[in-house]
């Protein structure tokens, strides 16, 4: 099936389905290239930014700064 036939279907997918498709494609590409995803390398390697308190703090600070720039006040 050519990509031109698939694109209209992909555009109609929900946001979460698009994320699942993206995950599927990245995983398939990693396998084809012989690379190992980080979460499969070691137990500690799977700790991403979403598991980090430091990353959460940095994100909260960035969001507060953005809110201050847009609205002139902190949330």
């Amino acid at each position: 099936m050519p990509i031109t036939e698939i694109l209209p279907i992909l555009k109609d997918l929900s946001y979460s389905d698009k994320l699942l498709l993206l995950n599927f494609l990245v995983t398939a590409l990693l396998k084809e290239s012989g690379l190992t995803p980080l979460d499969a390398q070691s137990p500690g390697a799977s700790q991403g930014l979403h598991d980090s308190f430091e990353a959460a703090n940095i994100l909260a600070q960035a969001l507060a700064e953005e809110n201050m720039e847009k609205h002139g006040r902190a949330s």
Side-chain angles (χ1 to χ4, degrees), residues 30-73:
L30 285 172
K31 285 180 183 177
E32 288 178 17
S33 67
L35 298 173
T36 305
L38 286 176
D39 59 353
Q41 289 179 358
S42 68
S46 66
Q47 182 179 0
L49 291 179
H50 62 277
D51 295 329
S52 168
F53 290 111
E54 181 181 357
N57 188 34
I58 291 170
L59 178 58
Q61 183 178 0
L63 291 172
E65 289 172 4
E66 180 181 354
N67 191 39
M68 187 68 116
E69 289 174 8
K70 283 185 178 180
H71 306 289
R73 59 183 162 79

Side-chain angles (χ1 to χ4, degrees), residues 5-58:
E5 291 180 25
I6 298 172
L7 286 178
I9 298 168
L10 297 178
K11 288 179 182 179
D12 289 338
L13 290 176
S14 68
Y15 181 81
S16 59
D17 284 342
K18 287 176 183 173
L19 287 175
L20 289 170
L21 176 63
L22 180 63
N23 184 49
F24 168 79
L25 291 173
V26 169
T27 302
L29 287 170
L30 285 172
K31 285 180 183 177
E32 288 178 17
S33 67
L35 298 173
T36 305
L38 286 176
D39 59 353
Q41 289 179 358
S42 68
S46 66
Q47 182 179 0
L49 291 179
H50 62 277
D51 295 329
S52 168
F53 290 111
E54 181 181 357
N57 188 34
I58 291 170

